[in-house]
Amino acid sequence: MQVDRRPLLDRLAVFPRLGLATLPTPLEPMKRLTAHLGGPRLWVKREDATGLGFGGNKLRKLDYVLHEAISRGADTIVSGGVVQSNSQRQVAAVAARLGLACHLAVYHGRLEPPTPEYKTSGNAFLNRLFGAHLHDVPWTGDRNAAIRALVDDLKGKGSKPYFVPYGVSNALGAVAYATTIAEIEPQAARLGFRPAAIVHCTGSAGTQAGLVVGAAVAMPDTRIVGIDIDAEPARVRADVVAFAKEASDLLDVPFDEASVEVVAGHAGPAYGVPHEATIEAIRLAGRLEALPLDPVYSGKGLAGLIALIRQGRWRKDEDVVFLYTGGAPALFAYQSALGI
Ligand SMILES: Cc1ncc(COP(=O)(O)O)c(C=O)c1O
């Protein structure tokens, strides 16, 4: 059998994107955090800097996923998430920019509101600012059922809705995330290093699936390490495997389940509830690197990375990239719970 040696960029080029995200995002050294922790050399890939509506990792996925919506003639984008979901804030931002209606199923009850400002500030405020129509629904554990029900309802009323899954995680979203690897590989080479690992927080799984599939082609020596922030590591890993399989079929690359590593134990007491290690990570990133990490995702992701460093996972002369996936608006909704 002939081995398919097409580079990652050629494989990605056949998937059209809208060009709404500001790419490539920067790859920067974190010298002060590295010194504080005593190595390995730490770098940050600034996925918070994707631009529109305060940025974040979902814009990279939406760039591809919503191209399909436009080509199908959709006039309405439908998605959903918890009250402080960064995903739905980015969906709302993109819909505003494209001039499409946006309807969001807002799940209540996945967590108790941790602060008085939780329901009105941060992402909840931005959703309203960006003009989204918000539909309050109870959390049942099924992440997509209420979004699908909203799609059916809007169809019945004569709209042309397009379904965007929870977290914008599906096969195309994972393909989109492989583009991050196509950026990191040459950026790191220009900076003179090859990362031993890329570490990030993982939840609805599309980000990690894309990174794993991209790395299999373009950075085979780099380990992708997902830090579970959902407090459901087995479910997260199963979802990463499922999306990665689908994305690897679309990109025509081999996929090895052993490349999927989801680290448990850093989600705190529950999804959306920050604990001491989260707050320590947020403080360190703020004071040493001026990075505003969030208490639900990136703060827990960095807490997991710090714990792995303290356990001696990497040598001092190795390089590790922290993928900062955004989420800073949620800081304002948690302000009184952080004691900062
Ligand atoms: C800031 C932030 N980081 C990371 C993630 C997790 O990415 P994924 O859902 O693709 O696993 C999310 C998802 O909502 C997020 O909002």
Side-chain angles (χ1 to χ4, degrees), residues 18 64-77 98 100 160-164 172:
L18 289 171
Y64 287 79
V65 171
L66 290 192
H67 188 280
E68 187 178 82
I70 301 289
S71 47
R72 287 188 189 170
D75 58 14
T76 304
I77 304 299
L98 292 172
L100 302 173
K160 288 186 195 152
Y162 182 85
F163 167 78
V164 175
L172 193 53

Side-chain angles (χ1 to χ4, degrees), residues 57-58 61 85-87 90 167 169 200-208 229 271 294 297-298 325-328:
N57 62 337
K58 310 303 181 190
K61 302 180 185 180
S85 159
N86 299 297
S87 180
Q90 289 164 82
S169 280
H200 67 102
C201 56
T202 182
S204 73
T207 300
Q208 186 167 3
I229 51 72
Y271 169 80
D294 79 286
Y297 294 97
S298 52
T325 43

Side-chain angles (χ1 to χ4, degrees), residues 208 212 223 237-238 240-242 244-245 248 254-262:
Q208 186 167 3
V212 163
R223 185 78 175 159
R237 188 172 188 281
V240 175
V241 169
K245 270 189 187 142
S248 62
F255 167 63
D256 176 6
E257 254 193 60
S259 64
V260 177
E261 178 177 353
V262 173

Side-chain angles (χ1 to χ4, degrees), residues 17 23 62-63 71 80 117 208 248 261:
R17 56 178 281 241
L23 301 175
L62 288 165
D63 232 357
S71 47
E117 63 272 24
Q208 186 167 3
S248 62
E261 178 177 353

Side-chain angles (χ1 to χ4, degrees), residues 39-53:
R41 285 185 297 262
L42 296 173
W43 304 81
V44 58
K45 175 70 171 162
R46 297 287 306 273
E47 294 292 275
D48 63 311
T50 49
L52 207 57

Side-chain angles (χ1 to χ4, degrees), residues 320-339:
V320 174
V321 174
F322 176 62
L323 193 86
Y324 171 27
T325 43
L331 269 175
F332 301 99
Y334 279 76
Q335 190 174 346
S336 60
L338 296 178

Side-chain angles (χ1 to χ4, degrees), residues 299-322:
K300 291 185 177 179
L302 184 64
L305 171 57
I306 290 172
L308 292 175
I309 290 171
R310 288 178 175 155
Q311 287 159 20
R313 166 113 183 211
W314 297 283
R315 294 189 316 269
K316 285 188 193 317
D317 63 349
E318 289 187 296
D319 293 274
V320 174
V321 174
F322 176 62

